[in-house]
Amino acid sequence: YRRERGELPHFSRVVVETTGLASLGPISSALAGGTFVSRQFHLGAIVVTVDALHGAAQIDAHAETREQIAMADRIVLTKVDLDDGGVAERTRAAIAALSPTAPLMTACMGAIDPLWVTADVREAGPPAVALAAQGAGHSAHGDNDSRAAHHHDGGGASHIHDHGYVSAAARIDRPISWSRYAAWVAKLQREGGTRLLRAKGFLAFDDGAVRAIQGVQLLFSPPAPIHWTIDPSLVGTVVLIARDIEPRSLQALLSALGTDGSDA
């Protein structure tokens, strides 16, 4: 309110810093919890920092840590300058097992490009998540960090990892209607529930626009037109990340977007 009254300088972003054990689903849902909030703000990106020295142990010990990494749009690996025993590589491998497509940037001595951290996913260019649907290697990261390779079966779904996390990727080759998209989101919310952690991608709609889509558990942001030139091969790329769902079931939920049954 103070910004609207001119009592504060205009600002374009709000950064919410959580504790290390925060659940991101309720925080994201709060953005849609009130008329004023939802009209003024939207979820720009989820950025997660991971301690290079202790990250692997934290991932193994804490469900909250695993969920945060799986839900991340971008990941920052910190304290790499203190690693002299190869511990950071084990942390990278643990991150890759949970989030093989999220861009990863290392922060040496705390140095990192602020714009890389604060950029809105709708304005930051095509996310590395698009690589999953192309069958490419998961190596398009901010500092060219190598990530562990993960096999995807013919249906495009990765194996369920040790802690029950799974991803599925697909290409939707034809434009979709708003009603089809709405029905698909309702299906995800109904059948995936809170087990569905993230939905990301680029879809061509039948009004001629290409829009970025993203969802965090039960909250889906309105599909937003992209403001940069997108590689045509990425249009139609959609990725789902979930917990405790069989890969075939998750792939079926994703594939429903491109079938007539998703309008039901």
Side-chain angles (χ1 to χ4, degrees), residues 200-232:
K200 313 178 186 181
F202 305 100
L203 286 175
F205 283 72
D206 59 6
D207 61 3
V210 175
R211 293 179 172 88
I213 65 166
Q214 70 160 321
V216 179
Q217 291 190 330
L218 296 175
L219 172 65
F220 277 73
S221 300
I226 57 176
H227 303 294
W228 36 269
T229 301
I230 185 173
D231 183 337

Short mmCIF file of all heavy atoms in Angstrom, two decimals, residues 200-232:
data_model
loop_
_atom_site.label_atom_id
_atom_site.label_comp_id
_atom_site.label_asym_id
_atom_site.label_seq_id
_atom_site.Cartn_x
_atom_site.Cartn_y
_atom_site.Cartn_z
N LYS A 200 6.18 -27.27 -15.39
CA LYS A 200 6.87 -26.21 -16.11
C LYS A 200 6.78 -26.48 -17.60
O LYS A 200 6.70 -27.64 -18.02
CB LYS A 200 8.36 -26.15 -15.73
CG LYS A 200 8.67 -26.20 -14.25
CD LYS A 200 10.18 -26.19 -14.04
CE LYS A 200 10.54 -26.39 -12.57
NZ LYS A 200 12.00 -26.36 -12.37
N GLY A 201 6.85 -25.43 -18.39
CA GLY A 201 6.93 -25.65 -19.82
C GLY A 201 6.48 -24.47 -20.64
O GLY A 201 6.22 -23.38 -20.12
N PHE A 202 6.41 -24.71 -21.96
CA PHE A 202 5.98 -23.72 -22.94
C PHE A 202 4.91 -24.36 -23.81
O PHE A 202 5.13 -25.44 -24.36
CB PHE A 202 7.14 -23.27 -23.82
CG PHE A 202 8.32 -22.74 -23.06
CD1 PHE A 202 9.43 -23.55 -22.84
CD2 PHE A 202 8.33 -21.45 -22.56
CE1 PHE A 202 10.52 -23.08 -22.13
CE2 PHE A 202 9.41 -20.98 -21.86
CZ PHE A 202 10.51 -21.79 -21.64
N LEU A 203 3.77 -23.72 -23.93
CA LEU A 203 2.68 -24.28 -24.72
C LEU A 203 2.19 -23.29 -25.76
O LEU A 203 2.10 -22.08 -25.48
CB LEU A 203 1.51 -24.66 -23.81
CG LEU A 203 1.67 -25.91 -22.96
CD1 LEU A 203 0.46 -26.08 -22.04
CD2 LEU A 203 1.84 -27.15 -23.84
N ALA A 204 1.88 -23.81 -26.93
CA ALA A 204 1.23 -23.00 -27.96
C ALA A 204 -0.27 -23.11 -27.75
O ALA A 204 -0.82 -24.22 -27.66
CB ALA A 204 1.62 -23.51 -29.35
N PHE A 205 -0.94 -21.96 -27.65
CA PHE A 205 -2.39 -21.94 -27.49
C PHE A 205 -3.04 -21.66 -28.85
O PHE A 205 -2.42 -21.12 -29.76
CB PHE A 205 -2.80 -20.89 -26.47
CG PHE A 205 -2.58 -21.33 -25.04
CD1 PHE A 205 -1.29 -21.41 -24.52
CD2 PHE A 205 -3.64 -21.68 -24.23
CE1 PHE A 205 -1.08 -21.82 -23.21
CE2 PHE A 205 -3.44 -22.09 -22.92
CZ PHE A 205 -2.15 -22.17 -22.41
N ASP A 206 -4.32 -22.02 -28.96
CA ASP A 206 -4.99 -21.89 -30.25
C ASP A 206 -5.35 -20.45 -30.61
O ASP A 206 -5.91 -20.20 -31.67
CB ASP A 206 -6.23 -22.78 -30.31
CG ASP A 206 -7.26 -22.46 -29.24
OD1 ASP A 206 -7.08 -21.46 -28.51
OD2 ASP A 206 -8.26 -23.21 -29.14
N ASP A 207 -4.98 -19.49 -29.74
CA ASP A 207 -5.14 -18.09 -30.11
C ASP A 207 -3.87 -17.53 -30.76
O ASP A 207 -3.77 -16.34 -31.04
CB ASP A 207 -5.52 -17.24 -28.90
CG ASP A 207 -4.46 -17.27 -27.80
OD1 ASP A 207 -3.40 -17.91 -28.00
OD2 ASP A 207 -4.69 -16.65 -26.74
N GLY A 208 -2.88 -18.42 -30.97
CA GLY A 208 -1.65 -18.03 -31.65
C GLY A 208 -0.51 -17.65 -30.73
O GLY A 208 0.62 -17.44 -31.21
N ALA A 209 -0.73 -17.57 -29.44
CA ALA A 209 0.31 -17.16 -28.50
C ALA A 209 1.02 -18.36 -27.90
O ALA A 209 0.42 -19.44 -27.73
CB ALA A 209 -0.29 -16.31 -27.38
N VAL A 210 2.31 -18.18 -27.61
CA VAL A 210 3.08 -19.18 -26.87
C VAL A 210 3.23 -18.65 -25.44
O VAL A 210 3.63 -17.51 -25.23
CB VAL A 210 4.47 -19.40 -27.49
CG1 VAL A 210 5.30 -20.34 -26.62
CG2 VAL A 210 4.34 -19.96 -28.90
N ARG A 211 2.88 -19.49 -24.48
CA ARG A 211 2.89 -19.05 -23.09
C ARG A 211 3.72 -19.99 -22.21
O ARG A 211 3.78 -21.19 -22.47
CB ARG A 211 1.46 -18.97 -22.55
CG ARG A 211 0.62 -17.89 -23.21
CD ARG A 211 -0.80 -17.86 -22.65
NE ARG A 211 -1.55 -16.71 -23.14
CZ ARG A 211 -2.26 -16.70 -24.27
NH1 ARG A 211 -2.30 -17.82 -25.02
NH2 ARG A 211 -2.90 -15.61 -24.66
N ALA A 212 4.34 -19.39 -21.20
CA ALA A 212 5.04 -20.18 -20.19
C ALA A 212 4.04 -20.62 -19.14
O ALA A 212 3.20 -19.84 -18.70
CB ALA A 212 6.14 -19.33 -19.55
N ILE A 213 4.11 -21.87 -18.75
CA ILE A 213 3.22 -22.38 -17.71
C ILE A 213 4.07 -22.85 -16.54
O ILE A 213 5.19 -23.34 -16.72
CB ILE A 213 2.33 -23.53 -18.21
CG1 ILE A 213 3.17 -24.76 -18.57
CG2 ILE A 213 1.51 -23.10 -19.40
CD1 ILE A 213 2.35 -26.01 -18.74
N GLN A 214 3.52 -22.68 -15.34
CA GLN A 214 4.19 -23.24 -14.18
C GLN A 214 3.20 -23.42 -13.05
O GLN A 214 2.25 -22.64 -12.88
CB GLN A 214 5.37 -22.37 -13.72
CG GLN A 214 5.02 -21.05 -13.09
CD GLN A 214 6.19 -20.52 -12.26
OE1 GLN A 214 6.88 -21.29 -11.57
NE2 GLN A 214 6.43 -19.24 -12.33
N GLY A 215 3.40 -24.50 -12.32
CA GLY A 215 2.57 -24.79 -11.17
C GLY A 215 3.44 -25.26 -10.03
O GLY A 215 4.48 -25.88 -10.24
N VAL A 216 3.02 -24.94 -8.82
CA VAL A 216 3.68 -25.40 -7.60
C VAL A 216 2.63 -26.11 -6.77
O VAL A 216 1.71 -25.48 -6.24
CB VAL A 216 4.28 -24.23 -6.80
CG1 VAL A 216 4.95 -24.74 -5.53
CG2 VAL A 216 5.27 -23.45 -7.66
N GLN A 217 2.73 -27.44 -6.70
CA GLN A 217 1.72 -28.26 -6.06
C GLN A 217 0.33 -27.89 -6.60
O GLN A 217 0.10 -27.98 -7.79
CB GLN A 217 1.84 -28.14 -4.54
CG GLN A 217 3.11 -28.80 -4.01
CD GLN A 217 3.17 -28.93 -2.52
OE1 GLN A 217 2.62 -28.13 -1.77
NE2 GLN A 217 3.87 -29.94 -2.05
N LEU A 218 -0.58 -27.45 -5.76
CA LEU A 218 -1.95 -27.20 -6.22
C LEU A 218 -2.12 -25.82 -6.85
O LEU A 218 -3.18 -25.54 -7.42
CB LEU A 218 -2.93 -27.34 -5.04
CG LEU A 218 -3.02 -28.75 -4.44
CD1 LEU A 218 -3.92 -28.73 -3.21
CD2 LEU A 218 -3.53 -29.75 -5.46
N LEU A 219 -1.11 -24.97 -6.76
CA LEU A 219 -1.21 -23.61 -7.28
C LEU A 219 -0.62 -23.53 -8.68
O LEU A 219 0.55 -23.84 -8.89
CB LEU A 219 -0.48 -22.63 -6.37
CG LEU A 219 -0.35 -21.20 -6.89
CD1 LEU A 219 -1.72 -20.55 -7.01
CD2 LEU A 219 0.57 -20.38 -6.00
N PHE A 220 -1.43 -23.11 -9.65
CA PHE A 220 -0.97 -22.88 -11.01
C PHE A 220 -1.12 -21.41 -11.35
O PHE A 220 -2.20 -20.84 -11.22
CB PHE A 220 -1.76 -23.73 -12.02
CG PHE A 220 -1.26 -25.14 -12.14
CD1 PHE A 220 -1.49 -26.05 -11.12
CD2 PHE A 220 -0.55 -25.55 -13.25
CE1 PHE A 220 -1.02 -27.35 -11.22
CE2 PHE A 220 -0.07 -26.85 -13.36
CZ PHE A 220 -0.30 -27.74 -12.34
N SER A 221 -0.01 -20.79 -11.76
CA SER A 221 -0.07 -19.40 -12.18
C SER A 221 -0.74 -19.31 -13.55
O SER A 221 -0.65 -20.25 -14.35
CB SER A 221 1.34 -18.81 -12.27
OG SER A 221 2.00 -18.87 -11.02
N PRO A 222 -1.41 -18.20 -13.85
CA PRO A 222 -2.00 -18.05 -15.19
C PRO A 222 -0.92 -18.15 -16.25
O PRO A 222 0.16 -17.57 -16.10
CB PRO A 222 -2.62 -16.65 -15.14
CG PRO A 222 -2.83 -16.37 -13.70
CD PRO A 222 -1.70 -17.05 -12.98
N PRO A 223 -1.13 -18.90 -17.32
CA PRO A 223 -0.14 -18.98 -18.40
C PRO A 223 0.22 -17.57 -18.88
O PRO A 223 -0.66 -16.75 -19.14
CB PRO A 223 -0.85 -19.79 -19.48
CG PRO A 223 -1.84 -20.62 -18.73
CD PRO A 223 -2.32 -19.75 -17.61
N ALA A 224 1.51 -17.30 -18.97
CA ALA A 224 1.97 -15.94 -19.26
C ALA A 224 2.69 -15.88 -20.60
O ALA A 224 3.56 -16.72 -20.88
CB ALA A 224 2.91 -15.46 -18.16
N PRO A 225 2.36 -14.92 -21.46
CA PRO A 225 3.10 -14.76 -22.72
C PRO A 225 4.57 -14.52 -22.45
O PRO A 225 4.93 -13.82 -21.49
CB PRO A 225 2.44 -13.52 -23.35
CG PRO A 225 1.10 -13.41 -22.70
CD PRO A 225 1.29 -13.91 -21.31
N ILE A 226 5.42 -15.12 -23.25
CA ILE A 226 6.86 -14.93 -23.06
C ILE A 226 7.31 -13.66 -23.75
O ILE A 226 6.71 -13.22 -24.72
CB ILE A 226 7.65 -16.14 -23.59
CG1 ILE A 226 7.34 -16.38 -25.08
CG2 ILE A 226 7.33 -17.39 -22.79
CD1 ILE A 226 8.15 -17.49 -25.69
N HIS A 227 8.36 -13.05 -23.22
CA HIS A 227 8.82 -11.75 -23.70
C HIS A 227 10.20 -11.84 -24.35
O HIS A 227 10.95 -10.88 -24.33
CB HIS A 227 8.84 -10.75 -22.55
CG HIS A 227 7.51 -10.59 -21.88
ND1 HIS A 227 6.41 -10.05 -22.52
CD2 HIS A 227 7.09 -10.94 -20.63
CE1 HIS A 227 5.38 -10.04 -21.70
NE2 HIS A 227 5.76 -10.59 -20.55
N TRP A 228 10.51 -12.98 -24.90
CA TRP A 228 11.78 -13.16 -25.57
C TRP A 228 11.58 -14.17 -26.69
O TRP A 228 10.57 -14.86 -26.75
CB TRP A 228 12.87 -13.64 -24.60
CG TRP A 228 12.36 -14.58 -23.54
CD1 TRP A 228 11.89 -14.26 -22.31
CD2 TRP A 228 12.23 -16.00 -23.63
NE1 TRP A 228 11.47 -15.38 -21.63
CE2 TRP A 228 11.69 -16.46 -22.41
CE3 TRP A 228 12.54 -16.93 -24.63
CZ2 TRP A 228 11.44 -17.80 -22.16
CZ3 TRP A 228 12.29 -18.26 -24.38
CH2 TRP A 228 11.75 -18.68 -23.15
N THR A 229 12.53 -14.23 -27.60
CA THR A 229 12.43 -15.15 -28.73
C THR A 229 12.77 -16.56 -28.27
O THR A 229 13.84 -16.82 -27.73
CB THR A 229 13.40 -14.74 -29.86
OG1 THR A 229 13.08 -13.41 -30.27
CG2 THR A 229 13.27 -15.69 -31.03
N ILE A 230 11.85 -17.46 -28.49
CA ILE A 230 12.04 -18.83 -28.04
C ILE A 230 12.39 -19.73 -29.21
O ILE A 230 11.89 -19.54 -30.33
CB ILE A 230 10.76 -19.35 -27.34
CG1 ILE A 230 10.99 -20.75 -26.76
CG2 ILE A 230 9.57 -19.33 -28.28
CD1 ILE A 230 9.83 -21.25 -25.92
N ASP A 231 13.27 -20.67 -28.98
CA ASP A 231 13.60 -21.67 -29.98
C ASP A 231 12.32 -22.45 -30.30
O ASP A 231 11.69 -23.01 -29.40
CB ASP A 231 14.67 -22.61 -29.41
CG ASP A 231 15.15 -23.65 -30.41
OD1 ASP A 231 14.40 -23.96 -31.36
OD2 ASP A 231 16.26 -24.15 -30.24
N PRO A 232 11.91 -22.50 -31.56
CA PRO A 232 10.67 -23.21 -31.90
C PRO A 232 10.64 -24.66 -31.43
O PRO A 232 9.56 -25.21 -31.16
CB PRO A 232 10.62 -23.12 -33.43
CG PRO A 232 11.42 -21.90 -33.76
CD PRO A 232 12.52 -21.87 -32.74
#
